[in-house]
Amino acid sequence: MSRVPALALGTLVVAAVAFLVLPVVGLVVNAPWDRLWSLVRSRSVLDALRLSLVTSVVATAVALLLGAPLAWVLARREFPGKRLLRALAVLPMVLPPVVGGVALLLTLGRRGLVGGPLFDATGVSIPFTTAAVVAAQAFVAMPFLVVTLESGLKLVDVRLEDVAATLGAGRWQAFRRVTLPIVAPSLGAGLALSWARALGEFGATITFAGNLPGRTRTLPLAVFLDLEREPEAAYLMSLLLLAVSLAVLVALRGRLWSRS
Amino acid sequence: MRGLVPTIPWATGVSVGLPDSQEQGVRRPAPLALVAALLLAACSGGGPGNGTEEVMVFAAASLTDAFEELAVRFEQDQPRWRVTLNVAGSQVLAQQLAAGADADVVATADERTMQRIVDAGLVADGPRAFATNRLAIAVEQGNPHAIEGLADLARDGLVVVLATEQVPAGRYTATALDRAGVTVRPASLELDVRQVRAKVALGEADAGVVYASDVAVAAGDVEAVPVAGEHDVVATYPIAVLDGAGPGRRAFVAFVLSDAGRRVLADAGFGAP
């Protein structure tokens, strides 16, 4: 540390903070504060907001349902191919979102690997539905839950559960009274991150689910489209998403560190 | 026992595919020199080399194939220029220019979007109409749903995809549907007309309304059903030279407007201006 000139370090830190903060400041400054209330009640904003909230919550639930068992297995069990499984579980996190959308289309689309037979057999088509939005969001959000929960589970000393068993606790009781409280902060962090990621999803959604007001036009899509026609509505929705992101981060701060 | 431990996994050193290293972070050598070299390469790789000068052309999505061909012919014809093409929905182009993007030439799919660019004070020369287009219905190869006109698009259970009204194609489509007295319930409103075509080509949509030029370029998956004359819309494409462009840039526009340019556009399915 003594070799790094303090001035250089300080300059870089200031630059980093400016780089991160100024765009946010720009957004806040340019937001239509005077027309905020009337814009919020406009049809396009309300539709997008409602859809985004519903789909992101459902997507997070799906991520929890599918991701929690996966996290458990990754944390507690050893088996051949475990590293590969973990890599696959994390893949959607590093995959460019639009690539995720293309992949979903090729799998769940009408001519897709799974969607094709499904369509031929039942006539059910997934693209262009709200379910497709949930699928796209869950796809990109699940890794956040799996990874965070897995590390949280690893913090649990299995011996504590054994001790609980010797004291007469059943498996469910031991889980509820011993494991869950230790894992709770990680679970909360995982859920918050997944939800925020699902809410902000754009590339996979537009590619796989399409764009229709009320059915598949989520907030990020609405922002992109309204930027041309109704920029003030776009700024407002951007502000909403920004507020949500900040809220998630603030909520996470308390959970970022676990004390055991 | 553990004191303060971050629950964010990368902080604990839990990594994907690397040996478990929860005790401390794995030291991965990241030579600063390598990073710097990559950055420098990225910065210098953008400009034209070999003594050519760059012409930056912004073109509407429906002009993709035509302008790619025009660029190749232009570079062959006048080797001192190198054309860089930025293709997007017309409204995105207008946005980018308004936000200060550096371009020499812009060609949009309707006069309304071009007017926005003119109103922003960005145009030095033009706009001039260089091509026209008509609408067509794109259907899957073999026309399995036997679609014969706009009226068929209102059929129950048909998955129809249109361009969103923020894009010229979407507005033209709305006008045509209006003229035909047809109400369509689209499954999706795509961000540009090529996305509409793509959804039909991928088999996700049964039909979509696109430009005639989008289905003139023969490609296996899609067939064209013409739109009846009385409902059809004539799309006028303007091209303009932007402020700050040098005389060489005007050469590109001149090429587009020349006979050679007209032939390329006609081959791509566009009509005369």
Side-chain angles (χ1 to χ4, degrees), chain A residues 83 87 105 109-111 127-128 147 151 155 186 206-207 210-212 224-225 227-229 255-260, chain B residues 1 3-9 16 91 95 116 140 159 166 186-189 191 199 201-206:
Chain A
R83 276 201 213 132
L105 210 53
R110 288 203 315 192
R111 288 194 197 151
F128 307 135
V147 163
S151 75
L155 291 175
S186 300
I206 186 79
T207 310
N211 164 48
L212 201 66
F224 186 70
L225 283 162
L227 212 48
E228 192 265 348
R229 190 182 50 165
R255 306 248 186 259
L256 215 56
W257 309 96
S258 77
R259 293 150 223 273
S260 350
Chain B
M1 166 173 90
L4 287 170
V5 174
T7 57
I8 302 300
V16 172
Q91 94 284 19
Q95 256 176 53
R116 283 185 52 212
E140 290 171 86
V159 178
Q166 275 85 349
S188 178
L189 298 167
L191 298 184
K199 293 287 162 80
L202 285 168
E204 295 307 330
D206 298 321

Side-chain angles (χ1 to χ4, degrees), chain B residues 203-231:
Chain B
E204 295 307 330
D206 298 321
V209 179
V210 297
Y211 290 116
S213 60
D214 293 321
V215 280
V217 183
D221 289 336
V222 170
E223 223 175 77
V225 172
V227 171
E230 64 267 21
H231 307 143

Side-chain angles (χ1 to χ4, degrees), chain A residues 36-210:
Chain A
L36 207 67
W37 195 231
S38 64
L39 279 170
V40 160
R41 282 177 301 163
S42 81
R43 194 61 198 280
S44 70
V45 172
L46 283 178
D47 274 348
L49 182 61
R50 192 184 338 117
L51 184 71
S52 274
L53 285 175
V54 168
T55 53
S56 58
V57 167
V58 175
T60 309
V62 169
L64 180 65
L65 192 67
L66 295 177
L70 185 59
W72 180 272
V73 161
L74 286 172
R76 293 287 178 97
R77 302 271 178 267
E78 289 301 325
F79 51 87
K82 176 172 163 172
R83 276 201 213 132
L84 179 63
L85 183 61
R86 185 189 279 135
L88 288 175
V90 173
L91 186 62
M93 197 192 288
V94 295
L95 204 62
V98 68
V99 174
V102 170
L104 284 169
L105 210 53
L106 291 172
T107 315
L108 298 176
R110 288 203 315 192
R111 288 194 197 151
L113 218 56
V114 170
L118 181 70
F119 180 67
D120 291 335
T122 65
V124 167
S125 166
I126 302 173
F128 307 135
T129 59
T130 309
V133 177
V134 171
Q137 290 180 347
F139 182 75
V140 298
M142 196 161 85
F144 288 87
L145 186 88
V146 170
V147 163
T148 318
L149 194 54
E150 185 203 341
S151 75
L153 283 168
K154 281 201 167 130
L155 291 175
V156 178
D157 191 340
V158 187
R159 290 172 300 177
L160 290 174
E161 292 174 358
D162 294 341
V163 169
T166 65
L167 290 173
R171 285 196 71 173
W172 174 246
Q173 223 182 351
F175 176 76
R176 198 167 50 88
R177 309 272 305 265
V178 176
T179 319
L180 210 51
I182 302 175
V183 146
S186 300
L187 183 61
L191 286 173
L193 284 172
S194 300
W195 180 63
R197 180 66 186 90
L199 194 64
E201 176 43 43
F202 176 86
T205 314
I206 186 79
T207 310
F208 180 53

Side-chain angles (χ1 to χ4, degrees), chain A residues 25-36:
Chain A
V25 171
L27 185 58
V28 171
V29 163
N30 282 299
W33 293 102
D34 48 341
R35 292 187 50 212
L36 207 67

Side-chain angles (χ1 to χ4, degrees), chain B residues 4-241:
Chain B
L4 287 170
V5 174
T7 57
I8 302 300
W10 30 94
T12 59
V14 170
S15 48
V16 172
L18 287 178
D20 260 356
S21 51
Q22 278 198 304
E23 317 81 52
Q24 49 219 333
V26 175
R27 287 201 56 179
R28 264 162 253 145
L32 206 59
L34 178 61
V35 174
L38 284 171
L39 278 174
L40 279 172
C43 292
S44 58
N50 315 321
T52 57
E53 287 176 64
E54 193 190 49
V55 182
M56 174 68 86
V57 176
F58 278 21
S62 47
L63 292 166
T64 309
D65 302 305
F67 266 54
E68 277 175 4
E69 185 61 28
L70 280 168
V72 166
R73 297 283 180 94
F74 179 66
E75 285 172 358
Q76 280 169 354
D77 197 52
Q78 303 184 38
R80 81 178 259 226
W81 306 111
R82 209 192 62 141
V83 177
T84 307
L85 210 51
N86 172 26
V87 171
S90 300
Q91 94 284 19
V92 173
L93 298 175
Q95 256 176 53
Q96 290 173 338
L97 289 170
D102 211 1
D104 300 309
V105 176
V106 64
T108 59
D110 71 357
E111 290 165 328
R112 185 171 128 168
T113 312
M114 181 58 84
Q115 191 56 46
R116 283 185 52 212
I117 302 172
V118 170
D119 289 343
L122 299 164
V123 171
D125 190 12
R128 252 170 299 181
F130 70 98
T132 54
N133 212 344
R134 310 194 84 93
L135 294 177
I137 304 171
V139 296
E140 290 171 86
Q141 196 64 246
N143 198 358
H145 297 275
I147 294 171
E148 293 180 2
L150 288 176
D152 289 330
L153 296 179
R155 232 189 272 160
D156 253 337
L158 203 66
V159 178
V160 177
V161 162
L162 304 175
T164 181
E165 290 199 24
Q166 275 85 349
V167 201
R171 290 192 286 271
Y172 291 136
T173 305
T175 308
L177 288 171
D178 212 33
R179 286 184 190 170
V182 175
T183 312
V184 174
R185 273 190 311 273
S188 178
L189 298 167
E190 297 297 323
L191 298 184
D192 67 53
V193 73
R194 282 302 170 97
Q195 294 283 335
V196 174
R197 188 191 185 285
K199 293 287 162 80
V200 177
L202 285 168
E204 295 307 330
D206 298 321
V209 179
V210 297
Y211 290 116
S213 60
D214 293 321
V215 280
V217 183
D221 289 336
V222 170
E223 223 175 77
V225 172
V227 171
E230 64 267 21
H231 307 143
D232 206 354
V233 169
V234 174
T236 308
Y237 284 63
I239 190 170
V241 173

